[in-house]
Amino acid sequence: AQTVTQSQPEMSVQEAETVTLSCTYDTSESDYYLFWYKQPPSRQMILVIRQEAYKQQNATENRFSVNFQKAAKSFSLKISDSQLGDAAMYFCAYQQDNTDKLIFGTGTRLQVFP
Amino acid sequence: NAGVTQTPKFRILKIGQSMTLQCTQDMNHNYMYWYRQDPGMGLKLIYYSVGAGITDKGEVPNGYNVSRSTTEDFPLRLELAAPSQTSVYFCASRFRRNTEAFFGQGTRLTVV
């Protein structure tokens, strides 16, 4: 069974600084998709960024970027110029290409200090 | 533009009672999912559906049942509620595999 591991239960960062959240996954497949979701205190789940495993280039969305290391099965999220509104739970998720399941990690709680 | 709507938002159940968590989406999505979120445990997949009349088990299906008679609705049934089912339940939908999943606001369920 595929698993997704987020080894950092909590992280903190100063406003305007950069922080990296870790995610590793276990799979024997070569085609899959990876996602980062944000869950603010409102509980609403929001897609932050998405990466296709067959793409070498790391995905980027404004201040959010990933470091995708396929051989190491690592998918970290970098948040640049952190803002107070970035404070939330962040979940890494894995989707195997030929299945319909979307599997989530345990989450990392990010605090942003002014 | 409702998206994914879950009802109720909060519920307290007594041990042994039954209830149905409702989930409706208005985006004509084929794929729908039910997750539970326990503190420190992330989201665990309970059941999912890839279209009307088709459902399948996820990671933690025991104690739950689902049905999908229409594209829009995907109710989750709890029979004989147990304290271990105390959790926040999320419904999600997406158009097809590998696309963005849209989530409802969640239902906080407490079993006492």
Side-chain angles (χ1 to χ4, degrees), chain A residues 1-6 23-27 32-37 45 75 91-96 99-107, chain B residues 33-35 41-48 57-60 94 98 101 103:
Chain A
Q2 285 77 35
T3 59
V4 179
T5 301
Q6 294 180 249
C23 173
T24 59
Y25 54 94
D26 179 28
T27 183
Y32 49 88
Y33 294 75
L34 297 162
F35 305 83
W36 277 100
Y37 279 86
M45 294 284 283
F75 181 59
F91 292 98
C92 177
Y94 166 94
Q95 161 83 63
Q96 187 180 320
T99 73
D100 303 305
K101 296 180 182 179
L102 182 61
I103 305 299
F104 284 82
T106 52
Chain B
Y33 302 81
W34 273 107
Y35 292 90
M41 298 298 290
L43 280 80
K44 292 291 187 184
L45 180 63
I46 305 172
Y47 271 96
Y48 65 101
K57 295 178 181 179
E59 303 167 280
V60 290
R94 51 184 178 169
N98 307 325
F103 285 77

Side-chain angles (χ1 to χ4, degrees), chain B residues 19-93:
Chain B
M19 78 164 293
T20 299
L21 279 66
Q22 301 291 346
C23 176
T24 299
Q25 52 90 10
D26 62 358
M27 297 173 282
N28 201 30
H29 286 173
N30 293 315
Y31 292 70
M32 295 188 75
Y33 302 81
W34 273 107
Y35 292 90
R36 59 177 287 172
Q37 183 179 18
D38 301 323
M41 298 298 290
L43 280 80
K44 292 291 187 184
L45 180 63
I46 305 172
Y47 271 96
Y48 65 101
S49 169
V50 300
I54 306 169
T55 63
D56 208 346
K57 295 178 181 179
E59 303 167 280
V60 290
N62 291 343
Y64 307 93
N65 278 300
V66 293
S67 59
R68 185 95 181 269
S69 56
T70 66
T71 299
E72 296 78 19
D73 301 307
F74 190 41
L76 178 71
R77 178 84 178 160
L78 279 73
E79 306 281 1
L80 298 175
S84 61
Q85 293 178 305
T86 293
S87 189
V88 178
Y89 291 83
F90 286 96
C91 179
S93 74

Side-chain angles (χ1 to χ4, degrees), chain A residues 15-71:
Chain A
E15 204 175 2
E17 297 293 309
T18 296
V19 65
T20 298
L21 309 184
S22 301
C23 173
T24 59
Y25 54 94
D26 179 28
T27 183
S28 57
E29 304 298 324
S30 59
D31 294 325
Y32 49 88
Y33 294 75
L34 297 162
F35 305 83
W36 277 100
Y37 279 86
K38 171 185 177 181
Q39 186 184 42
S42 66
R43 285 202 324 230
Q44 183 64 48
M45 294 284 283
I46 303 163
L47 178 66
V48 175
I49 202 162
R50 176 177 176 266
Q51 173 82 44
E52 293 94 337
Y54 64 85
K55 286 188 176 178
Q56 301 266 358
Q57 189 172 4
N58 289 324
T60 298
E61 288 287 341
N62 301 315
R63 299 182 295 107
F64 298 87
S65 61
V66 299
N67 183 6
F68 174 49
Q69 302 287 331
K70 191 171 183 179

